[in-house]
Amino acid sequence: MTKKAELKKTNSYKKMGLVMLCSAAGGGVLGIVMFVILSDNMVGNIKNGTALALTGIQRIMIPVLAVITIVSIVYGELNLRKLRGIGRRLLEAEDEECDQWEYAEEKTGAYGMVVNLLSQILCILILSVGYSIEYIADKNAGNMLAACVIFLICYAYDGFWQVRYVKVIQESRPEKQGDPSSRKFRQQWLDSCDEAEKEVIYRSAYTSYSQTSKMIPLLLVIVMLGHLFFNTGILAIVIVAVIWLVVTVSYLTSCVSLKGQKLK
């Protein structure tokens, strides 16, 4: 090993040690500051404020879920209509125009998927506000039942929308294979992609993994602080830790498996 390589290796250890030291110091300072600032009265006020906010959301839970469902359905239908129009133009386009229409199709589909996922997440969050025995027992069983019905309608529409989205793409690109209701759909879809499309998928997947690897430790610190100061319970900590473990192990397992396939 050259001196330059040894120096670079030593600098890497120093940088890592410095990062760990700064993180520990920052965590300690943050803990002390929060311990000093968040007195018992302040913690109690925050908890009371949170309880009032949750109560307010519970009162408007049904109309909020209804609005989310309506927006999801309207946008979903408009998005599919636009995708069909792009698909027709894609079939009629010359070679030099195909790339532009394929980009438009990808962009429109991405917007549709984001809104679709966002509606599901919002519905889950809103429903979770009233999803408790205490709320149901306090003469709110009817409201909870109505909220669950609206939630199921929205969730069912979002699920069927994803199937319809795949079918719309397959109308303009018959070479795309895969049954969206099948557990092997992603692999079937990937196998039907050309090399350029696979490269985009692989690079996007790695970007997603990198961003997730950065966010999970931050979320873990947040839920740990939440449990320390607000007694939110360890379930959130366990869930985030398990997600971190699954993401990392699945990535490393895939790397080892792909390397092993090259030796065969």
Side-chain angles (χ1 to χ4, degrees):
M1 183 180 294
T2 64
K3 292 183 178 180
K4 185 176 181 180
E6 290 179 355
L7 181 61
K8 185 176 181 181
K9 182 178 180 180
T10 303
N11 289 336
S12 297
Y13 286 126
K14 289 181 179 179
K15 289 180 180 178
M16 181 57 69
L18 183 62
V19 169
M20 294 176 66
L21 183 62
C22 291
S23 299
V29 172
L30 179 62
I32 293 173
V33 170
M34 293 187 69
F35 182 78
V36 172
I37 295 177
L38 295 179
S39 61
D40 291 339
N41 290 335
M42 184 172 292
V43 171
N45 291 335
I46 293 175
K47 289 183 177 180
N48 291 334
T50 303
L52 289 175
L54 293 178
T55 302
I57 296 175
Q58 287 174 353
R59 292 174 180 173
I60 60 173
M61 180 168 56
I62 293 177
V64 170
L65 286 173
V67 169
I68 294 173
T69 302
I70 293 172
V71 171
S72 179
I73 293 174
V74 171
Y75 184 84
E77 294 305 310
L78 292 175
N79 187 269
L80 289 178
R81 181 179 178 182
K82 185 175 180 179
L83 279 173
R84 290 192 181 95
I86 294 174
R88 287 192 294 268
R89 292 179 178 270
L90 189 60
L91 291 173
E92 300 170 355
E94 301 294 337
D95 292 340
E96 59 271 12
E97 297 179 344
C98 281
D99 291 340
Q100 295 181 357
W101 286 116
E102 286 178 358
Y103 171 75
E105 183 183 60
E106 188 73 24
K107 184 178 179 180
T108 303
Y111 283 143
M113 288 298 295
V114 169
V115 173
N116 184 273
L117 179 60
L118 185 61
S119 69
Q120 294 182 57
I121 292 175
L122 288 177
C123 282
I124 291 173
L125 292 176
I126 297 299
L127 185 68
S128 299
V129 173
Y131 197 73
S132 65
I133 298 299
E134 291 81 6
Y135 177 75
I136 297 175
D138 192 22
K139 299 180 181 179
N140 291 308
N143 291 340
M144 193 61 198
L145 179 61
C148 287
V149 170
I150 299 174
F151 169 80
L152 291 176
I153 293 173
C154 184
Y155 212 82
Y157 174 81
D158 289 337
F160 283 112
W161 183 93
Q162 295 178 17
V163 175
R164 294 168 63 199
Y165 165 70
V166 174
K167 296 296 185 181
V168 168
I169 299 299
Q170 289 175 336
E171 289 176 3
S172 59
R173 299 205 213 171
E175 72 276 7
K176 296 296 184 184
Q177 301 297 318
D179 180 5
S181 62
S182 172
R183 294 171 56 186
K184 299 181 179 180
F185 166 70
R186 287 179 175 81
Q187 186 60 48
Q188 294 170 349
W189 184 273
L190 182 63
D191 292 340
S192 65
C193 293
D194 57 32
E195 294 303 320
E197 291 172 329
K198 288 181 180 179
E199 182 181 358
V200 171
I201 293 173
Y202 294 152
R203 293 177 64 178
S204 300
Y206 182 74
T207 300
S208 177
Y209 165 75
S210 299
Q211 294 298 324
T212 303
S213 298
K214 294 176 183 178
M215 286 299 301
I216 289 180
L218 178 61
L219 293 175
L220 191 58
V221 172
I222 292 174
V223 294
M224 289 176 67
L225 290 175
H227 177 56
L228 176 63
F229 292 101
F230 302 105
N231 195 27
T232 55
I234 64 170
L235 181 59
I237 301 175
V238 172
I239 291 175
V240 175
V242 169
I243 293 174
W244 193 3
L245 180 64
V246 171
V247 169
T248 304
V249 171
S250 61
Y251 172 76
L252 295 175
T253 302
S254 178
C255 290
V256 172
S257 176
L258 293 173
K259 289 286 186 180
Q261 291 177 9
K262 291 184 178 181
L263 298 177
K264 295 180 181 180

